Amino acid sequence: MAGTESTRIVAPRPPEPRPPFRLPIFATIAPMIAAIVMWRITGSPFALMFAALGPVTAVASLADSRVGSRRARARQHSRFELELLEARGQIASEHARERLSAAEVTPTARAIVGRTGADPYRWRATTDREVSVCVGVGVVGSDVEVERVAGNEAPAFAAALAELASMASVLDAAPVAVDARLGIGAFGPAPLAAAVARALALQLAWTLSPAKHWLRGAESDWMSLLPHPKKVGALRAGTVAEFGIVGEDRALITIAAAGAEALLPGSCGVVLRVGGEEGSAILQHPDRAQRRSVRVEPLSLNEAGDWALLASIEAAREGIATLESLLPSEVRLGELPRGSTEGLACAVAADGEGPVALDLVAQGPHAVIGGTTGSGKSELLISWIVAMAGAHPPEQLTFLLVDFKGGSAFALLGALPHTAGIITDLDAAQAARALASLRAELRYRERMLADAAARDVDDLPGLPRLVIVVDEFAAMLVDHPDLHALFADIAARGRSLGVHLILCTQRPAGVVRDAVLANADLRISLRVNNRADSSAVVGSDAAASIPALARGRGILAPADSPPRLVQFAIASPADVDAAARFWPESQPIRRPWCDPLPTIVPLQSLDAGAGIAFGLLDLPGEQRIDVAVWHPIADGHILVLGAPGSGKSTALAAFGAHIHRPGAEDGVAPVVWLPATVDAAWDMLAQLAETRDRIVLVDDLDSLLPRIPADHRATFVDRLAALLRDGPARGIRLVLAAQRLAGEVQSLAALAPIRLLLAQSSRQEFVLAGGDGAQYVEGLPPGGGTWRGARVQVATGAPRRPDDSPALVAAASGRPLAIVSSRAAALAGRLQSIDLSSVIGDPAAQLALDSRAVLGDVDEWQSRWGAIAALRPIADILFDGCSVADYRALTRSRELPPPLTGVDMAWRLEPDGTASRVRLPAS
């Protein structure tokens, strides 16, 4: 690598050459000569045996030498191979260090956009010396050298050492750098050549300081975001970018791209071929040694745009450039053009080049907006809504606004003719209405498209687009997680149905699920507190670096272009008024969302047609509010259940008020109220057993039944049950009201097929009353409840319940009295009577003689068997304070007398054996 200090690696020493093997002649001959001399002296033939020792010893020595030499050579070969392997490892390690060093100083564009944190090499180059940029990855020379040592020069060892030296001198997969001052042009397929030139321009923007160098670029969608001062002027054909020194007009560096080499500007001293069958290569370079094959690394517009945003923010942070120099500090919505009528286009922001338009149709179909508190989210939503309303009539566009911050953010927008509804903080009931209403809207639009055989809303001009705007979307989902499935469904099907979402939240990371984000191609992030939230919305962490004081400034990231830094407009009340007045001839819009039921519903405002109207019914699944109607003949009896103060009496009055309204349904039976007093209720129930065509209203049934004497309660319940069972055949319908299902009310409830459930004290009570726990609504107003699975509000203003009619009391006959009393002694002081115990003989004769009353207690009358039978023809038999058992025992009758609850009331035995209710004489 040129310009760096070389690294020397010592090559392994080759093994020593094999030594020659020679037979030791003197060592072999010497023993033979000595043996002959000894033989001559001694004459012994055994002396000649020593002559053989020489050759034997020489041969043994020669064999031992050869074995030792072979072992030494094997050890040297093993050492050489090991040292050769270690040298290759050292070379590979040094090559890796060289690549890393080169990548730090001259990184590829892709490496630059992937860097995070501090960057000591950024903006350090100057044009008075070489400005190196990486044109690709390829084979370059290495600064690693191999130092040879003297040794065996056998061909095998020499080849291994030569291969080692060759390996050290070449660095593959390394950045191929050229001096950008020579001018660089890339030619080949147009998209690839442009992407390679873009990568080179980004490298120059990284290495050249914006404080000293200007830029003139052809790709404004990302180059306009760079912090470098922009030079005005025309570019030569094929030129992608030019860089120069601030204060000078002459361009020092040119980057170009073209489809053919001949189309490149002449200022390109380095020509780079990209793509094609022969591969990418440097075809032209002043230094022929630099012409070589390379593997280029192109860069997309989105990647370049992300990095340009971060570079601008970092430059502002370091004081090299200011964001204020790139963007207007404030944008007024009234200063922006109204925008095109195509799609949902409208101008709602501005950058350094002018107005910026958003279009949910072309760039959406949905949008996600992130931003921390104080970043200007609500202002952005208002401006966007007003801008769309000013550019598109209500016949083409409607809004449904959901504010989860208290309802004040969208208050002004209610004046827009486009606004179909404003929904504030949702409780559980409103969340359920939201689910039902919006799902109904999807079904409605599907039917409209199907009936018109249209593919999408563009083929059906009569169906306006619906934009659902939700402020604090994450907060809404925390309280109502069931809504996420609905919004995911809208996100998936909204494009063809003409339903668009604008979802705004403080913390999008981990809250807005992939099912929604996958269909929200338009992303905006105002200032956020952490990089994760920024990346979750716009795919980069640039929004986390926006200054806190830059309210309304954000990152706009459409799917079809790189992110850009913009300043969003602020709408004034005058802008809202202007948009509201701009469409004076528009007709009232269809509302997909009905307002909640009012707490007060005047009875006279209801028009039921057939049947009895008693309130308003909320039908969000059908996107309407209807009149709640009871058809007595078809529907049958009703049971009204509700806690104290829930409006049970009001409901009963509404059911019974039809006869008081003009135009009421003909043929509806007269209404009677079952009295609240026990005696009168008993009497009316007895009368109803013989009556036809009545609507009977029974209030506080669970209060009435316990007050009925124990001897009469079972019969009263049986008679009421018989009326519920058999009454419909005679045209009788009952409306029963109680607080809860307890005691005898439980058995009677089974005979009332319809229930009106008013407010209950708890969800458990609501379920015990027969309701679905999922439909329980807490905090209902009086008259609010559930009717046939739907929310109902009972009407008020019905005539008050009439006063109870008195119990039936028989008139005095004028005949003498025979009184059976449990308080005979006390009663005797009030009446001129004969004490039964003082009568001797026949009581009838005595009574006829004195023409007065005969008075006795139960025991006295029981002791005079036959006395009552004897007195019946001439006297009225009265029972005062007696039990039913006493009455039956003395009269020998199974007839149940009516209950007595009034003062001085008594039973009178009638001639036909029945009992009537009479009042005791005063004296």
Side-chain angles (χ1 to χ4, degrees):
M1 300 284 291
T4 61
E5 184 178 351
S6 61
T7 301
R8 291 184 176 276
I9 295 177
V10 178
R13 182 169 55 86
E16 295 294 335
R18 177 187 300 178
F21 296 99
R22 298 182 177 88
L23 187 66
I25 298 175
F26 291 105
T28 302
I29 297 175
M32 295 176 63
I33 294 174
I36 294 173
V37 172
M38 291 177 65
W39 171 68
R40 291 292 301 262
I41 296 173
T42 61
S44 173
F46 290 102
L48 294 175
M49 295 178 60
F50 288 100
L53 291 176
V56 171
T57 302
V59 170
S61 176
L62 180 61
D64 182 65
S65 176
R66 290 180 65 87
V67 170
S69 176
R70 187 178 295 111
R71 289 177 178 175
R73 286 199 308 275
R75 285 194 298 270
Q76 289 186 28
H77 275 278
S78 297
R79 173 192 56 78
F80 179 77
E81 293 295 335
L82 182 60
E83 291 178 353
L84 193 64
L85 186 62
E86 290 176 351
R88 288 173 177 158
Q90 291 178 13
I91 292 173
S93 178
E94 290 299 325
H95 281 178
R97 181 188 60 78
E98 280 187 313
R99 290 191 193 94
L100 181 60
S101 177
E104 288 181 350
V105 178
T106 313
T108 63
R110 192 167 301 281
I112 291 173
V113 299
R115 287 187 175 184
T116 58
D119 190 347
Y121 297 101
R122 182 179 55 198
W123 300 327
R124 293 294 184 262
T126 59
T127 54
D128 58 352
R129 58 177 181 266
E130 182 178 340
V131 180
S132 295
V133 294
C134 178
V135 296
V137 177
V139 178
V140 299
S142 172
D143 293 320
V144 179
E145 297 180 358
V146 176
E147 183 178 349
R148 297 282 296 269
V149 296
N152 190 351
E153 295 296 334
F157 302 127
L161 294 176
E163 181 185 358
L164 188 66
S166 175
M167 172 186 174
S169 64
V170 175
L171 181 63
D172 60 357
V176 179
V178 300
D179 187 354
R181 296 178 301 175
L182 297 172
I184 307 173
F187 75 92
L192 180 58
V196 171
R198 185 182 306 123
L200 297 173
L202 185 137
Q203 292 181 62
L204 289 169
W206 170 79
T207 194
L208 296 176
S209 171
K212 300 178 180 179
H213 302 90
W214 54 257
L215 162 68
R216 182 160 45 221
E219 295 184 332
S220 61
D221 44 5
W222 71 275
M223 291 182 177
S224 62
L225 301 178
L226 291 170
H228 298 72
K230 307 307 183 293
K231 192 73 170 178
V232 179
L235 291 169
R236 288 170 293 178
T239 301
V240 173
E242 290 180 343
F243 289 85
I245 299 176
V246 172
E248 299 181 6
D249 293 334
R250 184 173 62 91
L252 296 180
I253 298 176
T254 299
I255 303 297
E261 182 178 3
L263 300 177
L264 293 173
S267 57
C268 297
V270 177
V271 175
L272 183 65
R273 181 187 63 210
V274 296
E277 296 181 356
E278 298 179 359
S280 301
I282 301 174
L283 296 186
Q284 297 293 333
H285 194 286
D287 183 358
R288 287 180 169 272
Q290 299 299 324
R291 301 175 185 178
R292 67 192 72 199
S293 297
V294 294
R295 186 180 75 249
V296 296
E297 291 193 2
L299 194 68
S300 70
L301 280 171
N302 286 339
E303 291 172 314
D306 287 345
W307 184 85
L309 279 174
L310 289 174
S312 295
I313 294 171
E314 290 298 323
R317 181 179 298 167
E318 296 180 16
I320 299 175
T322 62
L323 288 176
E324 286 71 17
S325 64
L326 302 173
L327 296 177
S329 59
E330 186 178 84
V331 178
R332 295 291 180 181
L333 186 64
E335 300 172 354
L336 298 177
R338 287 184 57 244
S340 169
T341 57
E342 296 295 328
L344 292 178
C346 61
V348 72
D351 60 9
E353 296 184 345
V356 175
L358 301 182
D359 187 351
L360 274 174
V361 175
Q363 299 171 313
H366 312 295
V368 172
I369 302 173
T372 189
T373 301
S375 61
K377 298 190 304 298
S378 297
E379 290 85 349
L380 166 57
L381 292 177
I382 293 173
S383 297
W384 197 353
I385 293 168
V386 174
M388 283 191 286
H392 308 279
E395 291 79 9
Q396 297 179 5
L397 170 66
T398 58
F399 299 115
L400 180 62
L401 311 178
V402 183
D403 179 12
F404 218 70
K405 296 194 301 184
S408 60
F410 296 141
L412 289 175
L413 302 180
L416 296 174
H418 309 68
T419 302
I422 300 178
I423 304 165
T424 57
D425 290 355
L426 297 175
D427 56 20
Q430 288 177 314
R433 291 185 80 244
L435 283 167
S437 297
L438 291 179
R439 283 178 176 153
E441 177 65 16
L442 297 183
R443 292 193 297 270
Y444 167 78
R445 289 173 173 265
E446 286 176 338
R447 288 195 305 271
M448 292 289 289
L449 293 175
D451 293 343
R455 293 179 304 174
D456 55 38
V457 71
D458 289 330
D459 299 331
L460 195 61
L463 186 62
R465 294 183 181 273
L466 173 63
V467 177
I468 302 173
V469 184
V470 183
D471 200 359
E472 296 304 331
F473 180 65
M476 183 182 71
L477 293 183
V478 169
D479 291 344
H480 308 290
D482 291 344
L483 288 176
H484 215 316
L486 170 64
F487 279 88
D489 186 27
I490 295 175
R493 298 193 289 158
R495 183 184 295 274
S496 61
L497 298 179
V499 181
H500 305 271
L501 298 174
I502 300 178
L503 307 178
C504 189
T505 181
Q506 288 190 37
R507 299 294 307 275
V511 178
V512 183
R513 300 178 186 171
D514 292 341
V516 174
L517 286 175
N519 292 284
D521 288 342
L522 184 55
R523 311 286 185 85
I524 298 172
S525 181
L526 303 177
R527 180 176 59 87
V528 291
N529 291 328
N530 60 73
R531 298 178 183 274
D533 286 332
S534 177
S535 298
V537 178
V538 296
S540 75
D541 55 5
S545 301
I546 295 176
L549 297 178
R551 188 179 180 89
R553 185 159 297 166
I555 309 300
L556 171 62
D560 58 351
S561 60
R564 59 198 303 187
L565 188 67
V566 299
Q567 182 70 36
F568 288 98
I570 297 176
S572 65
D575 296 324
V576 180
D577 293 340
R581 294 194 304 268
F582 199 81
W583 312 103
E585 299 180 358
S586 295
Q587 299 298 318
I589 62 174
R590 174 184 170 275
R591 302 186 63 193
W593 186 287
C594 297
D595 291 329
L597 292 177
T599 57
I600 302 297
V601 178
L603 185 64
Q604 298 299 329
S605 66
L606 302 181
D607 183 9
I612 297 176
F614 65 91
L616 288 180
L617 204 60
D618 189 18
L619 301 173
E622 301 175 16
Q623 298 178 301
R624 63 188 179 93
I625 290 178
D626 203 356
V627 177
V629 180
W630 175 45
H631 299 276
I633 301 301
D635 296 338
H637 311 301
I638 301 174
L639 176 62
V640 181
L641 295 173
S646 62
K648 299 187 300 298
S649 299
T650 301
L652 262 66
F655 284 119
H658 66 94
I659 60 173
H660 300 284
R661 296 202 313 276
E665 176 187 7
D666 295 336
V668 175
V671 174
V672 296
W673 288 78
L674 193 72
T677 59
V678 173
D679 293 359
W682 178 276
D683 295 342
M684 180 171 286
L685 195 59
Q687 294 175 9
L688 290 172
E690 305 298 331
T691 307
R692 299 184 62 85
D693 300 327
R694 292 289 188 275
I695 293 177
V696 182
L697 309 179
V698 183
D699 200 3
D700 294 325
L701 180 62
D702 52 346
S703 173
L704 173 64
L705 293 179
R707 291 187 284 111
I708 297 175
D711 293 331
H712 296 78
R713 190 178 306 152
T715 301
F716 186 92
V717 172
D718 289 343
R719 289 179 178 178
L720 190 56
L723 192 62
L724 289 167
R725 283 193 305 267
D726 305 331
R730 294 183 281 114
I732 294 179
R733 297 292 186 272
L734 281 77
V735 182
L736 311 176
Q739 289 188 24
R740 58 187 305 181
L741 292 177
E744 292 88 351
V745 178
Q746 183 79 37
S747 60
L748 295 173
L751 300 174
I754 302 178
R755 294 186 185 182
L756 170 60
L757 302 182
L758 300 178
Q760 303 289 326
S761 58
S762 66
R763 187 183 300 273
Q764 181 180 7
E765 290 292 335
F766 183 76
V767 173
L768 292 175
D772 182 356
Q775 296 178 339
Y776 173 72
V777 180
E778 187 175 3
L780 284 175
T786 303
W787 170 261
R788 291 177 169 172
R791 167 83 165 84
V792 68
Q793 185 65 40
V794 175
T796 60
R800 298 180 59 183
R801 171 180 178 169
D803 295 335
D804 289 343
S805 58
L808 297 178
V809 179
S813 66
R815 297 197 304 170
L817 304 177
I819 304 174
V820 182
S821 178
S822 62
R823 48 172 184 158
L827 194 60
R830 291 174 44 190
L831 303 175
Q832 295 180 359
S833 61
I834 302 173
D835 188 352
L836 180 62
S837 61
S838 64
V839 175
I840 300 174
D842 185 2
Q846 185 68 41
L847 183 60
L849 178 64
D850 296 333
S851 297
R852 291 182 297 182
V854 177
L855 177 65
D857 59 21
V858 175
D859 293 337
E860 290 172 341
W861 285 101
Q862 286 180 341
S863 65
R864 298 291 186 101
W865 289 109
I868 290 180
L871 291 173
R872 286 181 63 180
I874 63 171
D876 287 340
I877 311 300
L878 305 185
F879 294 84
D880 170 47
C882 298
S883 68
V884 172
D886 294 336
Y887 172 84
R888 286 175 168 173
L890 292 172
T891 62
R892 299 181 181 180
S893 170
R894 300 309 301 168
E895 176 71 22
L896 181 65
L900 301 176
T901 58
V903 178
D904 288 340
M905 301 299 295
W907 291 315
R908 184 174 70 187
L909 181 62
E910 301 294 341
D912 61 358
T914 63
S916 62
R917 189 183 299 109
V918 297
R919 190 175 302 278
L920 290 173
S923 59

